[in-house]
Amino acid sequence: MNLFSIGLTDIETKEFAQINRDEDLILGRVALEHKRMYRVWTELGELLSEVSGKFGFQAKSREDFPAVGDWVAIKPRVEEGKGTIISVLPRKSKFSRKSAGVTAEEQIVAANVDTVFLVNSLNEDLNLRRIERYLLLTWESGANPVIVLSKADLCQNIEEKIAAVEAIAFGGVPIIPISAETHTGLEALEPFLQPGKTIALLGSSGVGKSTLTNRLLGAEKQLVQEIRGADDKGRHTTTHRELILLPNGCVLIDTPGMRELQLWESADGLAETFSEIEVLAENCRFRDCQHTDEPGCAVVNAINDGQLAAERLTSYTKLQKELAFIERKANKRAKAEVKKQFKTINKQIKQRKSR
């Protein structure tokens, strides 16, 4: 496999050269992850790989481990079809969310992505607040968002729903209605599906990501299930993140549907997603204005004048609070880690003195 055809650039090549000083390593890209085992695409073929003992010992969090889309340095064992991952190259982008559970820990959904297709179904499950979250995390990731509105063939009021999405998608985010069933609108995706580029498909279960993948691939690779008729909710079909090479050389990352999308350190993304509120806030009388009942609040005035939807401010405030909560939890965790390290060091010092 030619690695340049799956997204390798001169930047990764130079970074790898700094790592591969003994010249016994090869470069590869993580195509699939399953319980800390990785399928990696290399010029010598696909290798089933795991991280080295040293790598695992030095890793401090989940973020340090390889993710789908990562470029990695591998010590190959070609005759076995296996390899050992020695290092992960710096990521040019990463789409992250807070992992499920109470622990404030980052989960990388996809790495080194150029464009994120945010797939949302044009049915009763179309959720503007969810789209705001996806936009926020995409801007933070370093990739470019494209909102793909699927199942257009089942929608009777497409223009009305597109207008509602346009009202929350600032910064010139493309909005593309499609129907993978009837192949309608797929041609509008072609400018993004370029050879050597990486596209991640993100969205809830049942929005049509697997069907779209099959249409772009030209084969029925991904299992497809119908959504539940009672509530328009989807069933999980894709069960893991995976690189898929399209016929034209574009790399697609299909991902499982996300039931919850908790934020992860997205302050910059918040400003990008809610840029109209950020601009209005600059004209508030007080710099620490909370946009509630303060005099001279430009944001509240815009709502009263009908220039800004009240729901946008509610969502903005809620996401701000969520980010602040995650930051507090992450700081507590970091302090606990430092305290643990100090205890270990002090224990080692006492042991040396007692000898």
Side-chain angles (χ1 to χ4, degrees), residues 254-314:
D254 194 7
T255 64
M258 298 182 188
R259 284 198 175 94
E260 62 174 337
L261 187 65
Q262 296 192 50
L263 306 183
W264 180 260
E265 296 182 353
S266 303
D268 292 340
L270 187 71
E272 192 77 40
T273 305
F274 294 89
S275 57
E276 83 280 30
I277 294 179
E278 295 277 329
V279 171
L280 286 168
E282 292 178 1
N283 295 316
C284 290
R285 182 181 299 177
F286 304 108
R287 287 194 174 185
D288 59 348
C289 183
Q290 299 300 304
H291 317 309
T292 52
D293 54 1
E294 295 91 342
C297 175
V299 176
V300 173
N301 288 341
I303 292 174
N304 294 335
D305 293 341
Q307 299 175 17
L308 177 70
E311 294 81 5
R312 285 285 281 173
L313 177 59
T314 301

Side-chain angles (χ1 to χ4, degrees), residues 234-269:
R235 301 187 180 112
H236 285 285
T237 51
T238 301
T239 57
H240 52 261
R241 293 175 283 277
E242 179 182 6
L243 291 188
I244 298 171
L245 186 60
L246 299 184
N248 74 337
C250 180
V251 175
L252 204 65
I253 302 181
D254 194 7
T255 64
M258 298 182 188
R259 284 198 175 94
E260 62 174 337
L261 187 65
Q262 296 192 50
L263 306 183
W264 180 260
E265 296 182 353
S266 303
D268 292 340

Side-chain angles (χ1 to χ4, degrees), residues 74-109:
I74 296 181
K75 182 170 287 188
R77 304 194 302 278
V78 181
E79 65 283 354
E80 302 176 38
K82 296 181 179 180
T84 302
I85 297 174
I86 305 300
S87 178
V88 176
L89 274 61
R91 300 164 175 130
K92 71 176 182 182
S93 66
K94 60 173 182 175
F95 187 99
S96 298
R97 65 171 177 173
K98 178 185 171 296
S99 60
V102 297
T103 304
E105 192 171 31
E106 178 180 10
Q107 180 186 45
I108 299 175
V109 177

Side-chain angles (χ1 to χ4, degrees), residues 61-74:
S61 65
R62 290 177 63 174
E63 180 193 9
D64 296 327
F65 283 90
V68 172
D70 268 331
W71 290 100
V72 292
I74 296 181

Side-chain angles (χ1 to χ4, degrees), residues 328-343:
R328 288 196 299 273
K329 289 183 70 176
N331 287 340
K332 286 182 180 179
R333 184 170 173 238
K335 289 178 181 178
E337 285 293 331
V338 172
K339 190 175 181 180
K340 183 179 178 181
Q341 290 174 7
F342 273 120
K343 282 185 177 181

Side-chain angles (χ1 to χ4, degrees), residues 12-22:
E12 288 85 18
T13 303
K14 291 177 181 177
E15 289 168 345
F16 175 67
Q18 296 296 317
I19 298 171
N20 190 30
R21 294 181 179 179
D22 296 331

Side-chain angles (χ1 to χ4, degrees), residues 115-120 144-151 173-181 183-195 197-201 207-209 211-217 246 248 250-252:
T115 302
V116 176
F117 284 177
L118 304 176
V119 186
N120 295 266
N144 295 313
V146 174
I147 298 174
V148 178
L149 301 177
S150 63
K151 304 187 181 183
V173 178
I175 301 172
I176 303 175
I178 68 163
S179 170
E181 287 294 332
H183 296 250
T184 305
L186 297 183
E187 67 282 353
L189 302 178
E190 292 177 1
F192 306 99
L193 301 169
Q194 298 299 316
K197 296 296 184 181
T198 301
I199 310 293
L201 297 182
V207 297
K209 299 190 302 297
T211 302
L212 177 57
T213 297
N214 291 339
R215 293 296 176 268
L216 297 177
L217 188 60
L246 299 184
N248 74 337
C250 180
V251 175
L252 204 65

